[in-house]
């Protein structure tokens, strides 16, 4: 695996490769786990060259969110990527990526009114900006994103379509622990009690899904049922539980088609997100 640490060197290499190789790209913030590796596998199966980036993007952290404590372990990440036969690891530093005087941001309108976009001010813009820059530097024909960050992948698809980028965006399913908890770099911050409690998130989402499948179409009732389950089983602090249209992420009152059940919940100081798409049978095409 080749490790590239400057924007210039990455651009020179991808400029050459892009001409006759199909480049599959997986952007990450590192501290890699099985979820990230599933995206690498997916990219591998669909392209000639796999590029993974590790970059903890300061622009997607709010002023009250501490980027300094975001977990990092470069050696561990490097080893894992060697094992899954990643071809190129792009590992730029912040000063090179956003040099002094950097002033351009990418904003995909309408993503700051629901889900994480409504709570983490500037987060979605930070994600769009870093992805646009990474796409220009790595020049992939394909990029793989996890369904775990559902809002992010919908926004990136919109950005790619609106700006005519010639990149196929592929979505890969959420990898979970045995008890259903979505694998996440942030799980490392959970103490034993919190880790056990956190399993409630997926259970509660599945409960919401079941209600919808049994005919419930009042989004408020579904949200309440999910909330009750989390509050009954844990002392976690709920940031949001929302039912949104799974295509445009607009809040839904009556469930009349495919929806996303999504939540963000704090266990102690650790904020976890999870979501599932529900396509009630009565709306499935036969
Ligand atoms: P991050 O390093 O958290 O920015 O995530 C990098 C990519 O990995 C994003 O596309 C995430 O959606 C994806 N990802 C993170 N956790 C998981 C997971 N448990 N299963 C699948 N993909 C994931």
């Amino acid at each position: 695996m080749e490790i590239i640490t400057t924007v210039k060197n990455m651009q020179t290499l991808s400029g050459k490769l892009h001409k006759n190789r199909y480049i599959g790209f997986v952007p990450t913030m590192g501290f890699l786990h099985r979820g990230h590796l599933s995206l690498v596998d997916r990219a591998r199966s669909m392209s000639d060259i796999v590029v993974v980036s590790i970059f903890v993007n300061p622009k997607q952290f709010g002023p009250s969110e501490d980027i300094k404590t975001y977990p990092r372990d470069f050696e561990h990440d490097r080893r894992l990527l060697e094992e899954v036969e990643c071809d190129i690891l792009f590992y730029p530093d912040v000063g090179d990526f956003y040099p002094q005087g950097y002033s351009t941001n990418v904003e995909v309108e309408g993503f700051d009114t629901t889900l994480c976009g409504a709570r983490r001010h500037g987060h979605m813009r930070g994600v769009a900006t870093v992805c646009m820059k990474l796409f220009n530097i790595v020049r992939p024909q394909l990029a793989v994103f996890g369904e775990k960050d559902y809002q992010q992948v919908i926004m990136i698809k919109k950005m790619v379509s609106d700006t005519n980028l010639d990149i196929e965006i592929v979505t890969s399913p959420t990898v979970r622990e045995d008890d259903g908890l979505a694998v996440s770099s942030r799980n490392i911050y959970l103490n034993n009690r919190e880790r056990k409690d956190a399993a409630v998130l997926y259970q509660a989402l599945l409960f919401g899904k079941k209600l919808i499948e049994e005919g419930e179409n009042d989004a408020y009732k579904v949200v309440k049922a999910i909330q009750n389950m989390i509050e009954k089983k844990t002392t976690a602090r709920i940031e949001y539980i929302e039912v949104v249209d799974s295509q445009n992420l607009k809040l839904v009152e009556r469930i009349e088609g495919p929806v996303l059940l999504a939540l963000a919940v704090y266990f102690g100081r650790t904020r976890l997100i999870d979501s599932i798409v529900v396509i009630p049978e009565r709306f499935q095409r036969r």
Side-chain angles (χ1 to χ4, degrees):
M1 178 174 73
E2 196 166 345
I3 300 176
I4 301 200
T5 56
T6 69
V7 168
K8 189 159 178 283
N9 287 349
M10 186 69 238
Q11 254 182 327
T12 307
L13 180 60
S14 60
K16 282 186 207 146
L17 292 172
H18 185 87
K19 289 188 192 120
N20 51 14
R21 309 294 281 278
Y22 202 79
I23 303 174
F25 177 45
V26 179
T28 81
M29 296 208 299
F31 211 72
L32 303 180
H33 50 62
R34 288 187 296 123
H36 296 114
L37 299 184
S38 72
L39 309 189
V40 177
D41 283 347
R42 191 70 186 274
R44 162 106 285 140
S45 71
M46 299 177 78
S47 37
D48 304 321
I49 298 274
V50 176
V51 181
V52 173
S53 64
I54 295 181
F55 181 62
V56 182
N57 174 35
K59 281 190 178 288
Q60 70 190 71
F61 287 78
S64 61
E65 302 168 3
D66 196 358
I67 185 173
K68 287 204 197 86
T69 59
Y70 194 83
R72 296 162 209 243
D73 188 344
F74 180 74
E75 269 315 302
H76 177 252
D77 290 351
R78 190 184 59 73
R79 269 200 308 279
L80 286 181
L81 291 174
E82 296 268 13
E83 277 167 28
V84 293
E85 295 179 6
C86 166
D87 299 297
I88 298 169
L89 166 56
F90 178 44
Y91 182 55
D93 73 45
V94 176
D96 185 28
F97 199 85
Y98 296 120
Q100 198 75 35
Y102 182 89
S103 60
T104 301
N105 289 301
V106 178
E107 183 143 358
V108 189
E109 286 174 11
F111 281 85
D112 51 3
T113 52
T114 55
L115 310 175
C116 295
R119 278 87 190 179
R120 300 182 70 188
H121 187 67
H123 172 70
M124 298 312 291
R125 190 172 72 164
V127 171
T129 303
V130 78
C131 286
M132 180 62 97
K133 274 177 70 73
L134 286 167
F135 289 165
N136 283 323
I137 297 164
V138 175
R139 301 199 54 197
Q141 283 89 346
L142 170 147
V144 187
F145 289 83
E147 203 169 56
K148 158 114 188 334
D149 298 272
Y150 194 92
Q151 187 174 25
Q152 171 174 296
V153 73
I154 295 281
M155 178 186 70
I156 297 301
K157 280 184 177 166
K158 185 79 169 70
M159 178 184 88
V160 162
S161 141
D162 283 355
T163 61
N164 309 96
L165 286 176
D166 193 11
I167 302 175
E168 181 185 355
I169 302 299
V170 173
T171 311
S172 203
T174 302
V175 173
R176 299 180 178 281
E177 303 288 0
D178 288 345
D179 63 0
L181 176 65
V183 178
S184 164
S185 308
R186 290 184 163 93
N187 293 352
I188 191 177
Y189 293 129
L190 301 170
N191 65 28
N192 290 343
R193 165 95 242 163
E194 290 162 354
R195 170 62 193 81
K196 246 176 118 192
D197 283 354
V200 77
L201 299 184
Y202 190 52
Q203 293 163 12
L205 288 172
L206 289 179
F207 182 55
K209 178 171 189 253
K210 184 165 157 274
L211 290 181
I212 296 172
E213 285 171 349
E214 284 170 359
E216 182 57 72
N217 58 13
D218 182 341
Y220 179 76
K221 287 193 182 151
V222 175
V223 167
K224 273 285 159 206
I226 293 174
Q227 181 186 339
N228 287 343
M229 184 178 231
I230 295 172
E231 286 177 348
K232 216 167 110 194
K233 294 193 171 187
T234 74
T235 54
R237 182 165 65 80
I238 296 168
E239 185 183 60
Y240 70 77
I241 301 167
E242 284 180 355
V243 181
V244 297
D245 182 302
S246 65
Q247 297 299 309
N248 61 25
L249 306 187
K250 291 212 162 71
L251 275 170
V252 159
E253 282 179 22
R254 291 212 81 69
I255 299 166
E256 287 167 340
V259 290
L260 180 79
L261 304 186
L263 46 76
V265 175
Y266 281 89
F267 291 84
R269 292 166 62 91
T270 308
R271 180 180 182 274
L272 300 180
I273 60 168
D274 202 352
S275 61
I276 51 172
V277 174
V278 185
I279 309 174
E281 212 176 305
R282 56 194 182 278
F283 300 117
Q284 281 172 20
R285 284 203 199 107
R286 288 175 203 281

